[in-house]
Amino acid sequence: DCGLFTATISFAGVDSLQATDGDTFQWFLDGDSIIGADQQALITLVPGNYSVEVMNMYGCSDLSDPYSVLNIGYAETDGSM
């Protein structure tokens, strides 16, 4: 039942987002599709509201709620170089 299929986004580490499991993906930034962003994971390069459309093998698709990225960060280092 497609009514039970829900697309969600979760934080996946520094500057990375992860979509719900599915077969095809299309990521959006502030409502506009991101060219070439068609994988389950996305590295965020700019702040904004990200969403993803996910389709499963049964043809069910859903558009996630927006996920706000406020800052683009850097991984912490231990100070040694």
Side-chain angles (χ1 to χ4, degrees):
D1 181 9
C2 287
L4 301 176
F5 182 70
T6 303
T8 59
I9 298 173
S10 58
F11 178 73
V14 176
D15 299 338
S16 297
L17 301 176
Q18 180 87 16
T20 305
D21 287 340
D23 288 316
T24 63
F25 306 89
Q26 179 58 59
W27 288 89
F28 299 86
L29 173 58
D30 296 327
D32 295 322
S33 65
I34 303 170
I35 295 171
D38 57 3
Q39 301 296 312
Q40 186 172 7
L42 178 74
I43 296 173
T44 57
L45 300 176
V46 297
N49 293 310
Y50 289 84
S51 56
V52 64
E53 184 174 26
V54 181
M55 182 179 291
N56 68 15
M57 63 189 220
Y58 303 108
C60 301
S61 67
D62 189 45
L63 181 65
S64 72
D65 289 335
Y67 187 103
S68 293
V69 173
L70 302 177
N71 295 309
I72 301 303
Y74 297 92
E76 290 185 24
T77 63
D78 64 5
S80 62
M81 296 202 165

